[in-house]
Amino acid sequence: MRPPSLQIQSVEDTFGRNGWHCELVEGRDVLRSVFDAHHTRVELHAQAYPQLNALVVVAEGPLAPSEEHLQAVLELLARANKQLTLGGFEFDLDREKLVFRITNLFEREKYDPDIVSSMVHCAVAELDRLTPYTQIVVRTPEDLLDDLDLERLLMREDVIPPVPGDEDDF
């Protein structure tokens, strides 16, 4: 079995410096981790692609819409993706998972720890941000789905988790 690449080792070092527990997947350039976010538990994996000097960070959380709610959930994800600059949302139909994926290409074999940390923070925060919106959709009675304005729903700020450091200190 080949040893872990310098790229995934640099990601593992970044996790360690941040105090994030992770496990290296044996024989692959993949790290697995779990984060308890504001609204949900986030399963995260980071995969290095040494040939490209690329890193992909994927955050996942459970989402099990009924067949009647699926179209509204997919539309919500499409509308959310239109607002994003980096990364994107997906829905894994087979595993019933909400997915956020972000990728970066690096100049050096040893990945910049600030960029890696930002990717992880972004993936966890975005998945956590969208979770309450998806729950509103899946809990909406089927006969009211046509009345649900998904564009306006995404404008609601009362369900967004607080940004660390943005709270008023009194």
Side-chain angles (χ1 to χ4, degrees), residues 4-66:
S5 68
L6 180 61
Q7 288 87 344
I8 202 66
Q9 288 175 358
S10 67
V11 176
E12 188 174 30
D13 291 344
T14 299
F15 272 64
R17 275 186 247 140
N18 282 298
W20 301 331
H21 174 76
C22 65
E23 297 175 357
L24 185 62
V25 176
E26 193 173 324
R28 301 189 67 199
D29 283 327
V30 175
L31 291 177
R32 288 193 180 138
S33 188
V34 176
F35 292 86
D36 288 320
H38 187 78
H39 289 111
T40 191
R41 185 174 173 97
V42 177
E43 300 168 17
L44 185 131
H45 75 265
Q47 182 166 5
Y49 293 89
Q51 307 85 340
L52 302 172
N53 247 11
L55 177 67
V56 178
V57 174
V58 178
E60 299 179 329
L63 179 60
S66 68

Side-chain angles (χ1 to χ4, degrees), residues 16-141:
R17 275 186 247 140
N18 282 298
W20 301 331
H21 174 76
C22 65
E23 297 175 357
L24 185 62
V25 176
E26 193 173 324
R28 301 189 67 199
D29 283 327
V30 175
L31 291 177
R32 288 193 180 138
S33 188
V34 176
F35 292 86
D36 288 320
H38 187 78
H39 289 111
T40 191
R41 185 174 173 97
V42 177
E43 300 168 17
L44 185 131
H45 75 265
Q47 182 166 5
Y49 293 89
Q51 307 85 340
L52 302 172
N53 247 11
L55 177 67
V56 178
V57 174
V58 178
E60 299 179 329
L63 179 60
S66 68
E67 196 172 310
E68 296 77 22
H69 289 85
L70 182 59
Q71 180 179 344
V73 167
L74 295 177
E75 181 182 340
L76 180 76
L77 297 182
R79 290 183 179 282
N81 279 334
K82 285 175 62 175
Q83 299 172 352
L84 295 174
T85 304
L86 298 172
F89 289 102
E90 305 166 16
F91 178 62
D92 186 323
L93 290 162
D94 297 327
R95 296 182 309 126
E96 294 186 326
K97 298 271 188 177
L98 173 61
V99 177
F100 182 82
R101 183 184 315 269
I102 186 168
T103 304
N104 191 68
L105 299 175
F106 291 85
E107 291 181 22
R108 295 180 178 84
E109 288 180 332
K110 189 170 181 181
Y111 295 164
D112 182 308
D114 291 335
I115 294 173
V116 173
S117 296
S118 293
M119 291 173 72
V120 171
H121 281 289
C122 177
V124 171
E126 285 297 335
L127 192 80
D128 194 47
R129 178 183 70 88
L130 204 64
T131 294
Y133 298 124
T134 60
Q135 293 309 304
I136 290 169
V137 172
V138 298
R139 291 182 180 143
T140 298

